[in-house]
Amino acid sequence: MKALKRLARRAELRERAGLNRELSDRDTDDELIDLASNDYLGLSRHPRVVAAAREALATWGLGAGGSRAVRGTTTEHSLLERDLADQLRTHSALVYSSGYLANLGLIGALAQGRTRILLDAHSHASLHDAARRSTGLSQTWKHNDLSDLRAKLDQHSGPTLVVCESVYSVCGDAAPLSGLHALVVRHPDALLIVDEAHALGVTGPSGAGEVVGANLAGSDRIIVTATLSKALGAAGGVVAGPEVLRRHLQDTSRPFIYDTALPPSVAAGAREGLRIARESDLLRAELATRAATAARELGVVTPAAGVLSIPAADAYAATHWATACRQRGVAVGCFRPPSTPDPRSRLRVTINSSVSKSKFRSALNVIKETRPCLTDPSSSPALTLVSARPSPRRP
């Protein structure tokens, strides 16, 4: 069959370019030092989180049983939404079954007809996908470049969504939120959408994120999205903002209306994770200290939160480097096009404050000792498969 032959040929080309991805089972007795997952505060296995999920599982059963609009909404969902709105300091919050769907659901419900979507070029894959699948017109602006965004905003007077991440998922740098907000409020029909996936629980007062940290929480020109699968150690996504927005999403957001609800046990675990994150200033301080230490020793810029990006020569070098780390007991992320915002491949190190200090020190030594020589990435065969178009990212 020709269609299958085409798929096989594309798979062959990806493998030749070092861009194929393999899935590896993680066993319960896995002893790798984890600098690859996004469990920044180590809450996914926290006794209180597990106990809350177990209690809800016994009460509600395994699945929600239906969509939120039918029978899938339980008190666990409503309590989680209340607590998330309190944490993010917004009027309301609406929980989706994943952060990816939250972004798709929000932008799809807001971007209609003449709406223009202006995305930071480094924005997460779910945000790019949402823009492409909406009926609005999407355009990227240069990463963290306020001048470029200002010029693009001034070209259009109609409804506009300005989209960014507060902490970027591959390179770990922060968005200039105050400057972005100042530009948005100059345009009466513009909104700023901020994805706090890598900030919620990690930055801001009590882990409330970058929007709260920048004293912008509660602005009627900002909408916050986030995933609950990183620092909170759970799963799910959230859109937080004015109450009228929640009402609009309940009535029009297809990923909310037609998707089976988040399991109640996961909602309960996420809520307990949120409680613990609020109380975890010491864990956040330790995470920040480790991030600064790792950045200094690995020769990269200190990140805004817990993500460090270390360039490799090409996709093969990144893959071999990550494999060498794994063989010596350290799990790190291996990011290659199109999961990176440019043609360069990288190791991504995510700081986990629950890893012991001695193991963290050992892991840094392994990363440094296995580091390959950095050469000109322009010679990489992976570039032949990479579009010059800004790439949607994050696995």
Side-chain angles (χ1 to χ4, degrees):
M1 185 176 179
K2 289 184 178 180
L4 296 182
K5 288 182 178 179
R6 285 195 296 270
L7 293 181
R9 175 57 177 164
R10 293 176 69 179
E12 179 186 349
L13 291 173
R14 287 195 301 273
E15 184 170 4
R16 286 172 53 188
L19 299 178
N20 58 310
R21 288 160 168 78
E22 301 294 336
L23 303 181
S24 299
D25 291 348
R26 179 159 58 95
D27 297 327
T28 55
D29 59 353
D30 179 78
E31 294 183 354
L32 292 175
I33 301 173
D34 185 8
L35 297 184
S37 76
N38 299 308
D39 191 11
Y40 294 113
L41 303 179
L43 298 186
S44 66
R45 293 176 178 267
H46 193 286
R48 283 170 52 186
V49 171
V50 173
R54 182 183 294 117
E55 182 178 350
L57 181 65
T59 301
W60 295 101
L62 181 59
S67 70
R68 291 287 305 276
V70 181
R71 286 280 289 170
T73 297
T74 69
T75 53
E76 298 294 350
H77 297 88
S78 298
L79 290 172
L80 175 59
E81 288 168 343
R82 182 201 65 188
D83 288 357
L84 284 166
D86 287 346
Q87 176 75 342
L88 297 168
R89 301 182 190 176
T90 58
H91 295 290
S92 69
L94 190 67
V95 166
Y96 287 70
S97 58
S98 75
Y100 198 102
L101 289 179
N103 283 336
L104 259 64
L106 171 65
I107 292 178
L110 292 182
Q112 302 292 329
R114 293 179 56 250
T115 301
R116 188 175 53 154
I117 311 164
L118 299 178
L119 303 105
D120 184 289
H122 286 199
S123 294
H124 184 263
S126 59
L127 297 166
H128 281 274
D129 287 353
R132 291 172 182 174
R133 285 161 173 74
S134 74
T135 60
L137 303 174
S138 65
Q139 186 178 13
T140 59
W141 46 281
K142 296 176 184 177
H143 176 54
N144 278 352
D145 189 329
L146 295 178
S147 296
D148 189 44
L149 175 60
R150 182 185 299 109
K152 288 180 168 59
L153 277 170
D154 290 342
Q155 295 170 3
H156 179 76
S157 60
T160 301
L161 305 177
V162 175
V163 182
C164 69
E165 291 182 72
S166 62
V167 174
Y168 285 91
S169 56
V170 174
C171 296
D173 54 333
L177 292 183
S178 295
L180 293 173
H181 182 258
L183 287 178
V184 165
V185 297
R186 291 176 56 240
H187 293 261
D189 209 1
L191 292 171
L192 176 61
I193 295 174
V194 182
D195 184 343
E196 293 261 44
H198 290 270
L200 177 61
V202 178
T203 68
S206 301
E210 293 287 285
V211 171
V212 173
N215 293 317
L216 297 173
S219 167
D220 61 1
R221 307 298 290 277
I222 293 181
I223 300 169
V224 172
T225 70
T227 178
L228 314 180
S229 62
K230 302 190 186 320
L232 303 190
V238 62
V239 176
E243 179 60 39
V244 66
L245 172 68
R246 177 190 164 97
R247 182 73 259 173
H248 179 69
L249 295 177
Q250 282 185 201
D251 291 342
T252 67
S253 176
R254 295 174 67 86
F256 178 82
I257 296 170
Y258 297 109
D259 186 38
T260 297
L262 189 73
S265 59
V266 178
R271 185 172 173 235
E272 189 61 31
L274 182 62
R275 287 198 197 98
I276 298 170
R278 285 174 173 167
E279 306 162 356
S280 297
D281 287 344
L282 292 179
L283 284 180
R284 273 185 288 278
E286 177 63 22
L287 188 150
T289 297
R290 293 187 186 191
T293 298
R296 182 176 63 252
E297 296 201 11
L298 298 173
V300 296
V301 175
T302 300
V307 177
L308 287 88
S309 179
I310 317 167
D314 54 35
Y316 288 108
T319 302
H320 293 159
W321 190 4
T323 299
C325 289
R326 186 178 185 87
Q327 290 171 343
R328 292 185 54 179
V330 179
V332 294
C334 179
F335 278 45
R336 298 157 290 167
S339 296
T340 56
D342 52 33
R344 172 158 283 183
S345 295
R346 296 166 165 85
L347 285 198
R348 193 184 77 166
V349 174
T350 51
I351 308 301
N352 185 333
S353 59
S354 68
V355 172
S356 70
K357 291 183 179 180
S358 62
K359 287 185 176 181
F360 176 69
R361 170 59 57 185
S362 173
L364 288 185
N365 290 335
V366 167
I367 295 169
K368 289 189 293 183
E369 292 166 3
T370 56
R371 187 173 197 165
C373 295
L374 183 63
T375 58
D376 182 3
S378 64
S379 62
S380 170
L383 299 187
T384 61
L385 294 182
V386 178
S387 167
R389 186 178 185 177
S391 59
R393 306 174 343 280
R394 193 193 300 162

